[in-house]
Amino acid sequence: MFAALELVRDVEARTRLDEDGKSALLCRNAAVEAGLMVRAVRDSMISAAPLICTSEEVDILIDMMVQALDLTAQHYGINAS
């Protein structure tokens, strides 16, 4: 299971949140602090969950990622989910 999220201010215009992947580093650090191991690549967050995850464990991983995304959005003054 593999997922990638690109961090942008405007989806249609693909406007970056910050220069040189700084937003992804901020988000990655927030995710790691929440207990989720992810990788920052340019302006994207990469996650590779174990193939043996239960549905409940996937929900926990998603909750951790949402927490990190919300903190990143807050940092950049964007309304969080």
Side-chain angles (χ1 to χ4, degrees), residues 32-50:
V32 170
E33 285 183 28
L36 178 62
M37 183 57 69
V38 293
R39 185 172 180 202
V41 178
R42 294 186 193 103
D43 294 323
S44 299
M45 302 302 307
I46 309 296
S47 176

Side-chain angles (χ1 to χ4, degrees), residues 9-79:
R9 185 171 298 278
D10 180 345
V11 174
E12 290 181 18
R14 297 180 55 117
T15 309
R16 297 170 123 187
L17 286 175
D18 208 338
E19 59 187 42
D20 299 327
K22 290 180 183 177
S23 60
L25 292 176
L26 179 82
C27 190
R28 181 209 56 203
N29 292 344
V32 170
E33 285 183 28
L36 178 62
M37 183 57 69
V38 293
R39 185 172 180 202
V41 178
R42 294 186 193 103
D43 294 323
S44 299
M45 302 302 307
I46 309 296
S47 176
L51 294 175
I52 58 170
C53 280
T54 65
S55 295
E56 293 80 17
E57 290 169 330
V58 171
D59 289 341
I60 292 168
L61 298 174
I62 291 170
D63 289 343
M64 290 177 183
M65 192 67 221
V66 167
Q67 180 182 348
L69 291 168
D70 285 347
L71 287 171
T72 304
Q74 181 182 5
H75 176 83
Y76 287 101
I78 299 170
N79 292 335

